[in-house]
């Protein structure tokens, strides 16, 4: 059993508390086909970033205005498609355990997409949320996590990030925070703790306002 203590938690959405892999794959495979790219290679880099940043990484010579236009189109398609969007195993109980404790959503999705997916998964939307509209730079830039900590009123070192992707884990580390990796993508990117899903996490409210996170195998 591993235990971390924190004052606040910062939660990524896709792949961390919400399983949206089915719709992400549908939308990005369609985009890859439009661009003449290998869909399998595209899927290796889409997780964790805002869409325009993924497009720029895949097509570095492409004008950014085209990436932003495609990103808007992609967000609309993803927001309208919630088929197969479900909570990550253990997410319902995990989010219930956070009620009344300091936590925030820090996602590369925009506000509409975040609301659609959290609603489809049946998860409560945190009062504090940092979405795509809130930042000037996509993960792996730490801006989103630093803003989340600031909104909650805690120093970065007092926060623990929950993430599933390489870009998200890098962002959490760059923010000076400890990172819990969730799911099969996370373990390869050296989070402080890695677990298969949220059934492996137990949240304990500590006297004085701290949070203890207990991790099973």
């Amino acid at each position: 059993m591993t235990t971390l203590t924190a004052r606040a938690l910062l939660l990524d959405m896709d792949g961390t508390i919400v399983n949206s892999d089915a719709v992400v794959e549908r939308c990005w495979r369609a985009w890859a086909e439009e661009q003449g790219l290998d869909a399998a290679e595209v899927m290796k880099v889409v997780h964790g970033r805002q869409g325009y940043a993924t497009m720029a990484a895949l097509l570095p010579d492409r004008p950014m205005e085209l990436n932003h236009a495609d990103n808007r189109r992609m967000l609309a398609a993803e927001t309208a498609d919630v088929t197969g969007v479900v909570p990550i195993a253990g997410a319902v109980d995990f989010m219930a355990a956070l009620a009344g404790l300091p936590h925030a959503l820090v996602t590369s999705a925009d506000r509409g997409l975040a609301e659609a997916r959290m609603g489809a998964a049946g998860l409560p939307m945190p009062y504090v949320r940092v979405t795509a509209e809130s930042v000037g730079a996509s993960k792996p830039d730490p801006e989103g996590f630093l803003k989340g900590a600031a909104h909650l009123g805690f120093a970065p070192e007092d926060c623990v990030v929950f993430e599933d992707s390489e870009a998200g884990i890098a962002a959490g580390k760059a923010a000076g925070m400890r990172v819990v990796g969730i799911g099969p993508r996370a373990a390869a990117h050296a989070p402080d703790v890695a677990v298969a899903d949220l059934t492996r996490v137990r949240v304990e409210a500590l006297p004085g306002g701290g949070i203890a996170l207990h991790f099973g195998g």
Side-chain angles (χ1 to χ4, degrees):
M1 178 74 72
T2 300
T3 299
L4 295 179
T5 58
R7 306 291 292 180
L9 307 184
L10 302 175
L11 315 175
D12 175 53
M13 182 178 69
D14 294 302
T16 300
I17 56 176
V18 172
N19 182 346
S20 57
D21 282 0
V23 61
V24 169
E25 182 136 342
R26 283 195 293 274
C27 290
W28 278 98
R29 282 187 175 276
W31 182 85
E33 185 175 346
E34 291 174 5
Q35 305 304 318
L37 298 174
D38 184 322
E41 292 303 310
V42 168
M43 294 311 300
K44 291 178 182 179
V45 299
V46 301
H47 299 287
R49 297 180 177 87
Q50 292 189 43
Y52 74 85
T54 295
M55 294 167 192
L58 290 165
L59 298 170
D61 297 325
R62 191 180 196 231
M64 280 303 294
E65 59 265 27
L66 295 181
N67 294 336
H68 283 289
D70 275 4
N71 187 48
R72 289 190 292 271
R73 181 166 59 92
M74 183 82 72
L75 284 170
E78 290 186 286
T79 302
D81 183 359
V82 293
T83 301
V85 174
V86 296
I88 291 289
V92 172
D93 289 341
F94 175 75
M95 295 300 289
L98 294 186
L101 299 177
H103 66 287
L105 189 73
V106 181
T107 175
S108 295
D110 68 2
R111 188 177 301 109
L113 181 56
E115 290 174 352
R117 287 188 175 162
M118 291 290 282
L123 298 176
M125 177 67 80
Y127 178 73
V128 175
R129 76 289 304 257
V130 179
T131 58
E133 301 94 334
S134 310
V135 297
S138 173
K139 299 171 187 177
D141 191 282
E143 181 185 0
F145 287 125
L146 292 171
K147 282 193 169 182
H151 282 309
L152 291 170
F154 294 98
E157 60 268 25
D158 290 328
C159 299
V160 169
V161 165
F162 281 69
E163 265 286 359
D164 73 301
S165 70
E166 180 179 11
I169 291 169
K173 289 182 175 182
M177 301 173 184
R178 292 157 294 159
V179 181
V180 176
I182 304 296
R185 287 187 290 267
H189 305 296
D192 294 277
V193 178
V195 291
D197 56 45
L198 291 166
T199 66
R200 307 292 186 172
V201 183
R202 182 170 64 85
V203 177
E204 179 188 3
L206 298 175
I211 302 169
L213 301 166
H214 305 286
F215 303 96

